[in-house]
Amino acid sequence: MKALTINFFSPAENSPAIAKPSKAAKPVKVALTGYISSTGKLTLPAKTVANLGINLDETLFKVGMDQGKRKAKSLYLVPSEGDEQAFGFEKAAKSYTLALPFILTRSGIDFSKNKYAFTIRLFEYEGKTAFALQLAAEAAEASALYTGKPRGRKPKSEQVAD
């Protein structure tokens, strides 16, 4: 009988031959958005608050707009420390709100008739990270006409005399 030559494998050979370099995950860009409610509150959803990187429970903000403008196209929120002219966000069910009904009305924003949405842009102001809220009016959705079967009694002009 012939002598067998056997090749034995090691545990190291039982792994992938080429180790693939892991790619660094790209950060997902999330659109930071919010809206103005029909009662005049700036509303930031929970997703937006999570991506802002700031604790809204403890931070107070100064609210402003461009000087010399009659109608606000953007609002500015600048973090403030212990200032008596600062506003604080309130925690709602799934969002944070900042009540500014009179300021918004004086700034030419008619939140009771139109729905306003805004995008948040971060910028540096006096060494602090501040927020610029770019306002945009949303078109009101027109309800579709009812095309189903008419309900109720027929109008008198359509009734047939027997």
Side-chain angles (χ1 to χ4, degrees):
M1 187 162 150
K2 220 179 190 190
L4 296 172
T5 56
I6 301 173
N7 183 20
F8 292 101
F9 299 104
S10 68
E13 291 176 320
N14 194 25
S15 63
I18 301 171
K20 295 181 181 178
S22 61
K23 293 182 180 178
K26 292 182 181 178
V28 178
K29 287 197 174 189
V30 177
L32 300 175
T33 60
Y35 63 94
I36 298 176
S37 70
S38 61
T39 57
K41 294 181 181 180
L42 298 178
T43 305
L44 300 177
K47 283 183 186 179
T48 301
V49 173
N51 290 312
L52 282 178
I54 192 165
N55 185 0
L56 293 180
D57 290 324
E58 300 172 358
T59 308
L60 298 176
F61 292 93
K62 288 184 187 179
V63 178
M65 65 178 262
D66 293 321
Q67 192 169 9
K69 302 283 183 178
R70 289 186 181 196
K71 187 170 182 179
K73 294 188 180 177
S74 58
L75 293 172
Y76 301 101
L77 300 177
V78 179
S80 174
E81 294 145 5
D83 192 2
E84 59 188 44
Q85 295 180 353
F87 298 90
F89 276 90
E90 295 177 8
K91 176 82 171 119
K94 294 182 181 179
S95 61
Y96 280 86
T97 60
L98 181 62
L100 300 172
F102 301 110
I103 292 173
L104 293 174
T105 304
R106 286 188 203 121
S107 301
I109 300 171
D110 189 12
F111 52 83
S112 61
K113 293 182 181 175
N114 296 330
K115 183 168 183 172
Y116 285 88
F118 54 83
T119 57
I120 301 173
R121 184 179 47 88
L122 303 175
F123 70 98
E124 282 292 319
Y125 183 79
E126 296 179 356
K128 298 177 184 176
T129 302
F131 309 123
L133 311 179
Q134 189 69 37
L135 300 174
E138 293 182 357
E141 296 179 17
S143 60
L145 294 173
Y146 180 69
T147 59
K149 182 177 178 181
R151 304 290 179 202
R153 293 184 177 209
K154 292 182 181 179
K156 288 189 176 186
S157 62
E158 292 183 15
Q159 288 180 350
V160 178
D162 289 323

